[in-house]
Amino acid sequence: MSFDMKIIVYLGFNNPYVYKRGVENVIYFQHLNGVFSKSLYVFFDEKDAVFRWDDILCISIKNDLLKYFKLNILFFNLRRRYKSIFIHSHNILMSILLFYKTNLLTIHDAIYYQRRSNKDRKAFIFSIVEFLSLFKCKSFHFISKYTLSKSLIRNLITRKFIIYNTCTFEGLIGQMNERRNVDEFKIFAVRGIQKRTRVDLLIDFAQYVHDKKIDGKDIHLYIVGKGPLLEQYKRRIENLNLHNVSLLGYLSDSCVTGYYKSCDYVIMPCEYAEGFGLPIIEGYYYNKPVIASNKCAVPEIIIDKSYLFENNVESIWETLNRTLHLKFDFRSYYNEKFSHEVILNEYDQLYQLLS
């Protein structure tokens, strides 16, 4: 029996109950569209399972040697069950190895550019993958002009669209940080703890300003996130005997919103492969000033170039002081360019065009 329903199937990476940031948040927001009547999310995980993520039906496929075979069997059955299936992929390898064509591929970071920037010896393989996507994907969505500019196939794509990200905290009440110290100047960062996000620079900056003040207040950096370098950086902070920087690890969305609400500034360093800069608009949603590296997609997203710094501690310090008394309505800027209403309307128009 087949059902005459408009179904959208998202292809991604992670179990949202284990890891939910970046791609997972974007998929969740995209599923709120008003075009499709049912949303499925497919990804590889530790076991085969079916469960609900709010109103999204999640299907995990065990990450073993048979995973792509089982992926194709799944889609064969879905196509038998439903008359109309729209495949929206965030996972380029899934799209390449799926028998059916992907309707829309979202590119968060151009895959060859990212691998080459990481100095991956197998980066060339991903250039092949990128070119193969031309034949397996009908349309391409990029999250910024910068991301499009780094794609090897940008001039070969006939159907390409740019839609920015939005803040997934919109409408979330969250909680205030109970440890808020009114006598400290609080700088907040949400970063994956890895080489490209330059958390090492934040630690250097904390050391640089340990005896400095802003408006008579001591400066404290709070950094939320997890990643392969978390324990290494914790040891470094301990060895330097720094008490003005805190690596908080993973925190719930509710706790993260509390830090956004109570901080004085948001900071977002990066070196490469930053296709958008989500913490920038998250800060703007809470009407906070954001300073960030003058790299990647950041200049495209930031409210004004005055808030950009070069990746050294002196430039961060100078940028922080230079922007202290600038007057911008960050929340209005967010509402005009990145709000749920604006971005969801763009997705609705895109899905209607392509489906």
Side-chain angles (χ1 to χ4, degrees):
M1 178 184 295
S2 64
F3 295 89
D4 190 11
M5 297 177 67
K6 294 191 72 175
I7 306 297
I8 186 165
V9 183
Y10 295 99
L11 303 180
F13 297 93
N14 298 301
N15 184 330
Y17 289 111
V18 176
Y19 182 87
K20 185 174 74 70
R21 187 67 182 162
V23 173
E24 294 74 36
N25 283 332
V26 172
I27 288 173
Y28 186 86
F29 179 77
Q30 289 170 339
H31 105 280
L32 298 174
N33 70 84
V35 177
F36 296 96
S37 55
K38 188 178 181 66
S39 299
L40 281 69
Y41 173 41
V42 180
F43 57 95
F44 298 135
D45 202 11
E46 294 180 351
K47 62 181 180 180
D48 296 325
V50 178
F51 58 91
R52 286 280 177 183
W53 175 24
D54 290 345
D55 58 340
I56 303 176
L57 180 66
C58 294
I59 303 174
S60 68
I61 297 173
K62 187 175 181 180
N63 193 3
D64 57 21
L65 293 176
L66 296 176
K67 60 186 179 183
Y68 287 107
F69 173 75
K70 290 189 286 187
L71 176 68
N72 279 284
I73 292 297
L74 170 65
F75 271 88
F76 175 77
N77 289 327
L78 288 175
R79 284 185 169 271
R80 289 180 61 190
R81 183 175 179 82
Y82 300 106
K83 288 185 177 180
S84 177
I85 292 182
F86 186 95
I87 304 173
H88 186 165
S89 177
H90 294 252
N91 187 323
I92 191 171
L93 281 175
M94 275 189 171
S95 291
I96 295 301
L97 296 173
L98 184 65
F99 179 77
Y100 304 100
K101 276 194 172 185
T102 289
N103 298 89
L104 180 63
L105 176 67
T106 288
I107 306 293
H108 296 265
D109 276 304
I111 190 169
Y112 171 68
Y113 156 70
Q114 185 178 30
R115 297 283 177 161
R116 185 191 63 196
S117 299
N118 281 330
K119 298 182 179 178
D120 189 335
R121 294 180 180 178
K122 299 178 181 179
F124 177 72
I125 296 174
F126 293 92
S127 68
I128 297 174
V129 169
E130 200 166 334
F131 278 106
L132 285 175
S133 69
L134 278 170
F135 305 98
K136 297 304 298 288
C137 303
K138 297 178 181 178
S139 302
F140 295 79
H141 159 228
F142 296 86
I143 61 171
S144 66
K145 296 174 185 176
Y146 174 82
T147 301
L148 172 61
S149 74
K150 292 299 180 181
S151 171
L152 291 176
I153 58 176
R154 61 187 178 276
N155 295 323
L156 303 176
I157 301 171
T158 56
R159 305 189 80 177
K160 51 194 174 187
F161 307 90
I162 296 172
I163 299 178
Y164 288 140
N165 288 335
T166 186
C167 173
T168 56
F169 298 144
E170 189 172 326
L172 181 66
I173 297 174
Q175 63 186 36
M176 289 296 289
N177 175 21
E178 294 180 358
R179 296 183 179 181
R180 171 63 170 161
N181 184 347
V182 296
D183 294 324
E184 70 179 13
F185 189 90
K186 185 176 178 181
I187 302 176
F188 183 52
V190 180
R191 299 271 71 198
I193 314 302
Q194 51 189 296
K195 184 179 178 182
R196 70 175 183 85
T197 58
R198 294 307 309 269
V199 174
D200 62 313
L201 181 60
L202 295 181
I203 297 172
D204 289 343
F205 181 68
Q207 185 179 21
Y208 181 79
V209 300
H210 80 280
D211 59 349
K212 293 179 169 58
K213 294 181 183 293
I214 291 181
D215 291 337
K217 298 178 180 180
D218 294 326
I219 301 166
H220 197 117
L221 279 77
Y222 294 90
I223 306 167
V224 169
K226 64 179 183 178
L229 299 179
L230 179 60
E231 294 305 317
Q232 176 183 324
Y233 287 156
K234 281 184 175 180
R235 290 193 297 271
R236 182 180 172 192
I237 290 169
E238 185 178 349
N239 292 336
L240 291 171
N241 196 30
L242 292 176
H243 301 289
N244 65 333
V245 56
S246 301
L247 284 178
L248 303 171
Y250 172 81
L251 293 180
S252 68
D253 287 351
S254 180
C255 289
V256 172
T257 62
Y259 276 95
Y260 272 121
K261 287 180 178 180
S262 62
C263 73
D264 297 289
Y265 257 69
V266 174
I267 187 169
M268 201 207 79
C270 62
E271 192 66 41
Y272 57 86
E274 190 68 54
F276 182 76
L278 187 59
I280 299 174
I281 66 167
E282 289 176 343
Y284 290 161
Y285 176 69
Y286 292 103
N287 204 30
K288 302 295 181 177
V290 183
I291 58 174
S293 297
N294 188 16
K295 289 181 177 289
C296 304
V298 174
E300 182 180 342
I301 306 302
I302 205 91
I303 193 170
D304 188 88
K305 291 183 179 180
S306 300
Y307 290 89
L308 297 173
F309 58 75
E310 303 303 322
N311 280 351
N312 60 75
V313 295
E314 293 83 4
S315 181
I316 296 176
W317 177 243
E318 191 274 331
T319 302
L320 182 59
N321 283 278
R322 181 179 67 240
T323 59
L324 272 177
H325 303 294
L326 294 181
K327 301 296 182 182
F328 284 95
D329 188 340
F330 304 106
R331 179 60 180 269
S332 291
Y333 177 71
Y334 169 84
N335 289 340
E336 292 169 5
K337 296 195 65 174
F338 308 106
S339 69
H340 283 196
E341 181 181 1
V342 169
I343 302 302
L344 196 56
N345 180 60
E346 292 183 15
Y347 277 121
D348 280 352
Q349 292 182 43
L350 179 59
Y351 284 146
Q352 288 169 355
L353 173 67
L354 300 181
S355 63

